[in-house]
Each structure stands twice: as structure tokens, then as C-alpha cells.
Amino acid sequence: MTDRTAPPETGAKGPDELRRQIERTRSELGRTVEELAGKMDVKGRAKARAADLRDKAGAMTVQLRSTAAQAGHTVQEKATHAGHRAQDRAARAGHRVQDGAAGAGHEARDRAVRAGHAAQDTARSTGHELEHRVADGVPAPARPLVQKAMSHPGPTLVIGAVLVTVVVVGWKFPRK
């Protein structure tokens, strides 16, 4: 508006001075009227304010989109990290199960080997005992035949199975 800090002028000292004062007053009055007209132009002020708000809303939209994209990337990174952690845990658990199964397999194999050795030892001692019985209990004429049969157990078992079959068939189906 007007400059109220300047001291009021007392009076003109001549016609030129008076013209300058009038011109200055008109100029001040024009500015004051323009300011008042600007304040009274509600429609123009509303348009300016609307344009201002549109600009702010646009800037805020860009900022929100940027923030949302950043949040999406952060969530994606966290989900990826969580997935990797879960995958690592599952792999470790799988390895533990695999190690346990391998240990159990080794233990079962060791037990089977021990049982096999025990069976071999038992068979060996039984074989030795049978040899002593044959040597002591079989009559002298049959002793070489029994010792040969013991040295070749495969064919002896086959011949024994055939003899048992012949005896059973002869007993089941006697001749008339």
C-alpha cells in the first residue's frame, strides 16, 4: 500500500514541486488501488491458489510414489533375505538329517558286520565240532567218503537233496 513511514510533505514550493507531488500521489494511489483490486479479485486469487495447490499436490504425488517404490524395494529385500534365511535353515536341517541317517546306516552296517562275523565264528566252530565228530564217530570204511563230502559241500548238498526227494517220492507214491 502506501509508505506510511515517510514524513508527510508540508506543502509545495512551486508549481513544479506541486506537479511532482501530484504525480507521486497518483502513483501511490494507483499502486494502492491495484493492491486493493488484487485483494478484491477473489476469482483470480482462487485460481492462483488452486494452481498453487495443484503444483503442491503434484509434487506430493511424486514424493508419495517415490516413497511407495522405496518401501516396495525395502519389503522385497527383506522378503528375499527372509527367504534366504529359511532356505539356509532348511539346508542345515537337511544336512543334519542326512548326517543322522548316514550315522544310522554306518551303525547298522557295523552291526551287520559284527553279526556276520559272529555267524561265521559259530559256523566255523560248528564245522570244527562236526569234523571231530566225523573223525571220531564215523566208521572207518565211510570216513574217507564223509571227509570228501565235507570238503565239497555244494555238490554234497545237491546229492543229498536229490536223495531226500527220491525217498519222499518213493514213500508218497509207492509202486503197486
Side-chain angles (χ1 to χ4, degrees):
M1 287 217 203
T2 59
D3 187 14
R4 297 180 191 233
T5 59
E9 297 182 16
T10 53
K13 298 205 178 122
D16 288 334
E17 182 70 26
L18 184 60
R19 283 188 197 109
R20 273 183 276 173
Q21 282 180 359
I22 290 172
E23 191 58 38
R24 205 174 20 239
T25 305
R26 279 185 186 157
S27 176
E28 288 176 12
L29 186 59
R31 280 193 302 269
T32 304
V33 167
E34 283 178 15
E35 286 179 19
L36 286 174
K39 288 183 179 180
M40 295 303 291
D41 184 16
V42 175
K43 187 176 181 181
R45 286 176 61 206
K47 284 182 182 180
R49 178 77 174 143
D52 204 24
L53 289 174
R54 266 195 306 274
D55 292 343
K56 285 182 181 178
M60 198 175 262
T61 300
V62 169
Q63 184 180 5
L64 286 174
R65 283 184 182 163
S66 173
T67 303
Q70 187 177 9
H73 291 303
T74 302
V75 167
Q76 185 178 11
E77 287 177 11
K78 287 182 179 181
T80 300
H81 284 45
H84 288 300
R85 282 193 305 269
Q87 189 176 16
D88 290 344
R89 287 179 186 157
R92 283 194 300 270
H95 289 303
R96 281 194 301 270
V97 168
Q98 188 176 19
D99 291 345
H106 290 306
E107 188 174 329
R109 185 196 67 205
D110 292 345
R111 286 181 183 174
V113 166
R114 284 193 302 269
H117 288 303
Q120 281 178 341
D121 292 343
T122 304
R124 190 176 297 119
S125 67
T126 304
H128 289 306
E129 186 180 329
L130 286 176
E131 282 179 13
H132 291 300
R133 282 186 186 174
V134 166
D136 295 338
V138 174
R143 197 174 291 156
L145 182 64
V146 171
Q147 286 175 343
K148 273 285 191 202
M150 287 178 59
S151 64
H152 301 292
T156 303
L157 288 174
V158 171
I159 292 170
V162 169
L163 286 174
V164 167
T165 305
V166 167
V167 169
V168 168
V169 167
W171 176 66
K172 273 290 225 185
F173 304 105
R175 284 191 166 178
K176 297 183 184 179

